[in-house]
Amino acid sequence: MSLCIVPTPIGNLKDMTLRGLEVLQTADLILCEDTRTSSILLQHYNIKKKLQAFHQHNEHLITPKIVEQILQTNMRVAMISDAGTPGISDPCFLLIRACIQANIQTECLPGATAFVPALVNSGIASNKFVFEGFLPMKKGRQSLIEKLAQEERTVILYESPKKILHTIEDLLQHFAQDRKAVICRELSKLHESFLRDTLGQLKTHLEAKELKGEIVLVIAGKER
């Protein structure tokens, strides 16, 4: 009777850990964001298990049902996301909390998450940092950006390629033009790239060329 959180590759399927594969192979049920996306990974490793969708649109509804099912059947459940570690800008927290409250054993395996390789390979200080994930779309967005502009630790954000220019334009309302930053794109994939410059120059780059692929934005902290 347990719930195990299993990180999955953020791009390169070879980044799946042996321990993660063992958990998926022995689980009674695998929860995933999108069964179609997860099926690609599972088929690659010849894992044939029952899948159930668990995402931000249904997690409030099915969390109690999953907990009850674990308690009644003594099953072992594994949880994965489309990429990376569940709970990092992905659903997970509600289910973990509910399982802990129900005295169900919980475990989270170490593994892939996009912001760690982005931070380490950015060339920006990695000893102290703040991870904010995706900025709010509307409510609280500007006040958060204003607060982050005063942050002395390295700031890490997630963003989609379609919105990265808009986000940098918003950042420049409060961040200095010469603040160093890195756009980390398609991490672990064939076309992985790092665009290192100032926020002002990154805006110029993005105005000239639209980027594709998932993005992690790493921004240097404010100098004292």
Side-chain angles (χ1 to χ4, degrees), residues 180-196:
K180 292 181 180 180
V182 183
I183 294 177
C184 313
R185 189 182 66 87
E186 292 288 82
L187 293 171
S188 84
K189 299 179 184 178
L190 181 63
H191 299 292
E192 174 180 293
S193 67
F194 292 80
L195 185 57
R196 301 175 173 92

Side-chain angles (χ1 to χ4, degrees), residues 13-135:
L13 294 181
K14 294 180 181 179
D15 290 336
M16 190 68 199
T17 68
L18 294 176
R19 190 176 170 205
L21 290 174
E22 181 180 1
V23 170
L24 295 180
Q25 288 165 344
T26 57
D28 299 305
L29 173 67
I30 298 176
L31 302 176
C32 56
E33 280 188 274
D34 189 321
T35 56
R36 295 165 297 181
T37 300
S38 295
S39 291
I40 297 173
L41 173 69
L42 299 179
Q43 289 173 8
H44 180 80
Y45 287 105
N46 196 30
I47 297 174
K48 299 178 181 178
K49 292 290 179 176
K50 180 181 178 181
L51 299 178
Q52 181 173 340
F54 186 96
H55 45 72
Q56 62 177 343
H57 302 297
N58 72 356
E59 60 178 330
H60 288 85
L61 177 64
I62 71 171
T63 287
K65 297 178 182 178
I66 295 296
V67 171
E68 183 179 358
Q69 192 175 3
I70 294 174
L71 291 171
Q72 290 182 350
T73 63
N74 201 34
M75 64 169 18
R76 290 189 292 183
V77 175
M79 183 174 184
I80 59 179
S81 62
D82 287 347
T85 301
I88 305 298
S89 294
D90 284 322
C92 178
F93 166 69
L94 290 179
L95 183 58
I96 282 282
R97 182 178 64 179
C99 285
I100 291 172
Q101 292 173 344
N103 292 319
I104 295 172
Q105 179 182 348
T106 59
E107 182 178 20
C108 180
L109 304 189
T113 188
F115 77 80
V116 174
L119 171 64
V120 173
N121 200 29
S122 68
I124 293 176
S126 58
N127 58 324
K128 295 181 180 181
F129 62 91
V130 54
F131 171 69
E132 285 292 336
F134 291 94
L135 291 173

